[in-house]
């Protein structure tokens, strides 16, 4: 009899973390590595947020707080949703967790029973299916494509819904593709959901503020207010304010769900870090100039990477609407051979051979549920990105 649970045997380690750790190990060995696998801004947290954290320490805010967040932060979240998204919540409808990942995990753990299905559009963030599995549910993958802009259609969503469907997870803009659902596209999906009142919506809006060109962000309950009573709208400070290590996420939804999520959190982590909560409060209520400044930098980097990758032989790279990722196709490279004799049979082989040959670390598309692709995070300096693209171009040109 195995000591480890059968559930855990069905859960895969995060491929993004694994590739990032491998890149660190190789760099520590002296290899010239350009790691584009981690999904976090490379900027410092804005000064006023750091100062607020220091002030919180000096003020003695170093003890336990309410399990799912201090009242001041909950009120700031309420104001944020009203101001930026046109959503009206009360403080008791808000939960604060240790990162957006915990908000998602708490929701699934609090609601899933064996056999419950969760619809996950692919490509997807690597943690969605495994969190569903840990909660006892069944992930139902609905695949977009490069031709559809990596978005699923209303018809696909409708066909995937069964009497056992409990949630659909919508992440816009998306990790790993940067693809976003505009208002018309989102309305197509919400119209389907109105016809299936037993299905709840888990809106992962963590990349809300990182959108480019003329793309306008919308969230499901904003587009269709009749869904607000069965929607959990999740967001956080990690991407918008370069606060990944602070580990603060938040969500809002019906009171019954929020209370259930607090029960889960009370038996796992208890409250998020008190200092981080006061830092997040400063992020949401303080100056917002940083967002526009960082967005402009990311858009410039996106354009640099997309243009460079589309000059690589055998790579096709769409232009993403948001986030800080590109998800190029390597379909035209499958079957080719490296100078060392390795045949590129899939995107995992491509990523590993690219790392071995050039020192560029990317994440293979298999991890995100759609192959043959790979993900690059352009949350890196212009110089690193230009260097990486040049190395990738050389690698692709060497394949025969």
């Amino acid at each position: 009899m195995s000591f480890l649970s059968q559930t855990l045997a069905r859960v895969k380690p995060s491929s993004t973390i694994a590739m990032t750790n491998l890149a660190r190990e190789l760099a520590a060995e002296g290899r010239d590595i350009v790691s584009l696998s981690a999904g976090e801004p490379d900027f410092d947290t804005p000064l006023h947020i750091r100062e607020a954290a220091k002030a919180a320490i000096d003020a003695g805010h170093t003890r336990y707080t309410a399990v799912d967040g201090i009242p001041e932060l909950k009120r700031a979240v309420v104001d944020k949703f009203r101001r930026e998204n046109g959503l009206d919540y009360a403080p008791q409808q808000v939960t604060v967790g240790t990162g957006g990942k915990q908000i998602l995990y708490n929701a699934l753990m609090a609601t899933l029973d064996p056999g419950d299905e969760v619809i996950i559009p692919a490509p997807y963030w690597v943690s969605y299916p495994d969190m569903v599995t840990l909660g006892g549910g069944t992930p139902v993958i609905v695949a977009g494509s490069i031709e559809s802009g990596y978005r699923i259609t209303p018809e696909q969503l409708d066909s995937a819904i069964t009497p056992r469907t409990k949630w659909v997870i919508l992440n816009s803009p998306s990790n790993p593709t940067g693809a976003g659902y505009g208002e018309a596209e989102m309305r197509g999906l919400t119209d389907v959901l109105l016809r299936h009142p037993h299905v709840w919506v888990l809106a992962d809006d963590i990349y809300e503020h990182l959108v480019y060109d003329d793309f306008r962000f919308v969230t499901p309950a904003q587009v269709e207010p009749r869904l607000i009573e069965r929607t959990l709208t999740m967001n956080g400070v990690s991407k918008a304010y370069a606060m990944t290590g602070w580990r603060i996420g938040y969500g809002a939804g019906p009171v019954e769900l929020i209370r259930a999520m607090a029960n889960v959190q009370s038996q796992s982590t208890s409250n998020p870090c008190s200092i981080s909560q006061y830092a997040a409060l400063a992020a949401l209520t303080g100056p917002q100039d940083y967002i526009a400044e960082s967005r402009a930098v990311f858009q410039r980097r996106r354009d640099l990477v997309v243009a460079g990758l589309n000059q690589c032989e055998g790579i096709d790279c769409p232009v993403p609407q948001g986030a800080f990722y590109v998800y190029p196709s390597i379909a035209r490279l499958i079957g080719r051979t490296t100078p060392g004799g390795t045949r590129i049979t899939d995107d995992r082989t491509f990523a590993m051979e690219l790392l071995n040959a050039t020192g560029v670390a990317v994440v293979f598309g298999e991890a995100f549920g759609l192959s043959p692709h790979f993900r690059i995070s352009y949350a890196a300096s212009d110089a690193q990105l230009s260097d990486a693209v040049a190395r990738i171009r050389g690698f692709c040109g060497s394949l025969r």
Side-chain angles (χ1 to χ4, degrees):
M1 180 181 297
S2 172
F3 177 71
L4 300 179
S5 74
Q6 294 180 9
T7 298
L8 188 61
R10 299 193 298 271
V11 175
K12 304 181 297 294
S14 168
S15 296
T16 53
I17 294 175
M19 187 60 80
T20 300
N21 289 341
L22 176 58
R24 286 175 179 155
E25 291 170 8
L26 292 174
E29 293 171 3
R31 287 283 306 277
D32 178 15
I33 300 296
V34 181
S35 181
L36 304 179
S37 53
E40 64 176 342
D42 58 320
F43 310 121
D44 289 332
T45 302
L47 179 61
H48 73 279
I49 298 173
R50 287 179 275 148
E51 293 295 341
K54 297 173 188 176
I57 294 172
D58 291 340
H61 296 308
T62 55
R63 294 176 173 82
Y64 295 132
T65 73
V67 164
D68 64 345
I70 59 175
E72 302 95 317
L73 182 52
K74 289 190 173 187
R75 286 194 294 270
V77 170
V78 167
D79 291 343
K80 176 263 182 275
F81 279 129
R82 182 178 297 119
R83 179 180 69 247
E84 297 184 349
N85 309 112
L87 298 175
D88 286 322
Y89 292 110
Q92 62 265 33
Q93 293 179 275
V94 172
T95 183
V96 180
T98 305
K101 181 179 283 190
Q102 187 177 34
I103 301 297
L104 300 171
Y105 185 81
N106 286 349
L108 295 170
M109 289 293 292
T111 59
L112 292 181
D113 289 313
D116 286 345
E117 297 173 352
V118 178
I119 295 173
I120 303 173
Y124 47 70
W125 180 45
V126 295
S127 293
Y128 293 147
D130 292 292
M131 285 194 289
V132 170
T133 299
L134 279 169
T138 302
V140 176
I141 308 304
V142 179
S145 66
I146 192 169
E147 292 78 17
S148 68
Y150 300 121
R151 293 177 287 268
I152 65 168
T153 66
E155 293 75 19
Q156 285 179 294
L157 175 60
D158 197 42
S159 296
I161 293 173
T162 75
R164 296 307 306 264
T165 305
K166 183 159 280 186
W167 290 96
V168 58
I169 299 177
L170 296 175
N171 176 212
S172 172
S174 159
N175 175 5
T177 66
Y181 291 87
E183 184 168 1
E185 295 155 337
M186 186 67 79
R187 185 167 295 283
L189 300 181
T190 59
D191 284 349
V192 170
L193 291 164
L194 284 176
R195 299 198 297 268
H196 299 278
H198 68 290
V199 181
W200 282 56
V201 186
L202 209 170
D204 182 347
D205 296 347
I206 198 72
Y207 296 98
E208 170 187 6
H209 290 294
L210 296 176
V211 295
Y212 313 118
D213 304 321
D214 58 353
F215 182 82
R216 178 177 172 268
F217 170 83
V218 290
T219 194
Q222 175 186 16
V223 170
E224 181 44 79
R226 286 176 289 181
L227 290 177
I228 197 166
E229 287 304 317
R230 50 188 171 105
T231 297
L232 176 67
T233 304
M234 189 282 291
N235 212 314
V237 297
S238 60
K239 315 298 183 180
Y241 301 96
M243 295 178 67
T244 51
W246 298 81
R247 306 311 301 137
I248 294 292
Y250 55 82
V255 170
E256 184 180 9
L257 172 63
I258 297 302
R259 287 175 178 166
M261 292 169 62
N263 285 343
V264 173
Q265 190 159 305
S266 72
Q267 300 297 351
S268 55
T269 62
S270 194
N271 67 271
C273 170
S274 60
I275 306 306
S276 294
Q277 290 189 65
Y278 283 95
L281 175 63
L284 293 179
T285 61
Q288 302 296 301
D289 312 61
Y290 167 84
I291 292 176
E293 294 167 0
S294 63
R295 182 167 55 229
V297 173
F298 280 130
Q299 180 165 338
R300 185 186 71 239
R301 292 173 174 178
R302 177 203 66 172
D303 294 344
L304 183 159
V305 171
V306 169
L309 289 177
N310 280 323
Q311 293 174 8
C312 297
E313 184 178 347
I315 288 182
D316 299 294
C317 185
V319 180
Q321 287 83 34
F324 39 67
Y325 310 103
V326 292
Y327 198 67
S329 167
I330 58 164
R332 294 189 289 125
L333 296 178
I334 298 300
R336 297 195 185 185
T337 304
T338 68
T342 301
R343 189 168 181 267
I344 304 298
T345 55
D346 51 35
D347 48 40
R348 183 190 290 263
T349 305
F350 175 88
M352 295 310 300
E353 289 300 314
L354 177 68
L355 179 59
N356 291 334
T358 71
V360 176
V362 302
V363 186
F364 46 87
E366 176 192 332
F368 306 103
L370 188 68
S371 295
H373 297 262
F374 66 96
R375 189 194 77 172
I376 278 181
S377 167
Y378 51 86
S381 71
D382 291 30
Q384 287 177 304
L385 294 171
S386 296
D387 183 19
V389 168
R391 297 188 198 191
I392 295 171
R393 185 182 306 121
F395 176 76
C396 292
S398 73
L399 300 178
R400 296 294 178 263

